[in-house]
């Protein structure tokens, strides 16, 4: 009788030991898989692509491959040619009337650009704490920052256009102004900076001085600094 009890007890202990070993093995495998997944995700989030904010000619490349940069640093400077947009003349319309229409159109563009800037700024401010808490991705924030910068550039361009339109209106009101028509405005050059959204190390540069780039074209790739 005692022998049967001893055998049963040993079998029970053996089953408990095997169960505990299997449980430990599953926990170890789960931790290993999770660790590997985290590394892959970090590698993906760590890549930063700096794109051209507008079409134009590369004037300066301010970084070199292997160099470290801070968040917001200028990577490439692009020269953009702007031409003042003028309203199409109407039959019999005076130069002053046409200049006044150009001025009103520029004023309306400023209001639209300002509203766009405020909207994207608010979205950047909303996403920033969400990224810090892990409730939003860094890619979402970077994309919204790019839209905010583009809206700011649109606002600056609209303000410059309004200044040009105001000058044209003043010139059209001069007594000796030729009423036959206004001469088209000469193109103006402005420099736009392509910046990085995060600190990191420059992995590759595809932009070269003198090269013509299109809006959104990749200019450089960086590896973000790990937090």
């Amino acid at each position: 009788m005692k022998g049967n009890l001893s055998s049963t007890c040993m079998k029970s202990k053996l089953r408990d030991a095997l169960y505990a070993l299997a449980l430990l093995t599953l926990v170890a495998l789960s931790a290993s898989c999770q660790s590997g997944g985290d590394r892959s995700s970090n590698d993906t989030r760590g890549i930063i692509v700096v794109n051209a904010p507008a079409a134009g000619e590369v004037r300066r490349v301010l970084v070199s491959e292997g160099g470290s940069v801070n968040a917001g640093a200028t990577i490439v400077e692009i020269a953009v040619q702007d031409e003042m947009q003028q309203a199409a003349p109407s039959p019999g319309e005076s130069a002053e009337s046409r200049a006044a229409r150009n001025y009103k159109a520029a004023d309306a563009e400023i209001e639209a650009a300002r509203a766009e800037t405020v909207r994207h700024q608010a979205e950047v401010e909303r996403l920033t704490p969400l990224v810090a808490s892990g409730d939003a991705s860094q890619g979402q924030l970077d994309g919204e920052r790019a839209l905010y910068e583009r809206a700011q550039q649109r606002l600056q361009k609209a303000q410059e256009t309004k200044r040009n339109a105001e000058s044209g209106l003043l010139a059209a009101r001069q007594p000796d102004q030729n009423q036959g028509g206004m001469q088209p405005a000469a193109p103006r050059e402005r420099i736009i900076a392509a910046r990085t959204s995060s600190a990191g190390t420059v992995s590759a540069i595809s932009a070269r001085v003198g090269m013509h780039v299109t809006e959104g074209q990749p200019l450089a790739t960086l590896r973000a600094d790990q937090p």
Side-chain angles (χ1 to χ4, degrees):
M1 186 68 176
K2 291 182 179 180
N4 291 336
L5 290 176
S6 176
S7 176
T8 301
C9 183
M10 290 181 61
K11 289 180 180 180
S12 177
K13 290 182 178 180
L14 179 59
R15 282 196 304 269
D16 291 343
L18 290 174
Y19 177 78
L21 179 60
L23 183 60
L24 289 174
T25 303
L26 288 174
V27 171
L29 289 174
S30 176
S32 176
C33 292
Q34 184 177 1
S35 176
D38 289 344
R39 285 195 298 270
S40 176
S41 178
N42 288 337
D43 288 345
T44 301
R45 291 196 301 267
I47 297 175
I48 303 170
V49 179
V50 179
N51 299 318
E57 180 181 327
V58 176
R59 284 300 169 84
R60 291 201 300 168
V61 178
L62 302 177
V63 298
S64 57
E65 292 182 358
S68 298
V69 296
N70 297 322
T74 299
I75 305 300
V76 175
E77 287 185 347
I78 302 173
V80 178
Q81 297 293 328
D82 286 333
E83 186 172 350
M84 178 180 168
Q85 298 295 322
Q86 296 185 352
S90 301
E93 184 180 32
S94 67
E96 182 176 349
S97 297
R98 187 160 58 251
R101 285 203 294 129
N102 288 331
Y103 181 84
K104 290 181 179 179
D107 204 29
E109 172 65 9
I110 285 179
E111 292 303 317
R114 182 176 288 114
E116 182 182 6
T117 301
V118 171
R119 184 173 68 254
H120 290 302
Q121 181 181 14
E123 188 66 9
V124 168
E125 293 175 352
R126 184 185 73 85
L127 286 172
T128 298
L130 294 179
V131 172
S133 63
D135 294 326
S137 68
Q138 184 65 42
Q140 287 178 289
L141 180 58
D142 292 344
E144 199 59 41
R145 280 174 175 168
L147 292 174
Y148 174 54
E149 291 177 2
R150 189 175 301 177
Q152 286 181 309
Q153 293 161 7
R154 178 188 176 188
L155 178 58
Q156 292 172 359
K157 181 179 179 181
Q159 291 170 337
E160 182 178 355
T161 299
K162 183 178 179 179
R163 287 192 294 268
N164 293 336
E166 186 175 12
S167 299
L169 181 59
L170 292 175
R173 288 173 175 170
Q174 297 301 318
D176 59 346
Q177 172 68 31
N178 179 13
Q179 299 297 319
M182 295 176 61
Q183 295 296 324
R188 293 173 176 266
E189 181 179 283
R190 60 192 176 99
I191 301 299
I192 294 180
R195 306 177 186 275
T196 175
S197 58
S198 303
T201 302
V202 181
S203 301
I205 301 174
S206 56
R208 298 292 182 270
V209 174
M211 181 172 69
H212 289 273
V213 297
T214 58
E215 183 176 353
Q217 179 176 337
L219 304 176
T221 303
L222 293 80
R223 174 71 65 178
D225 291 341
Q226 295 299 322

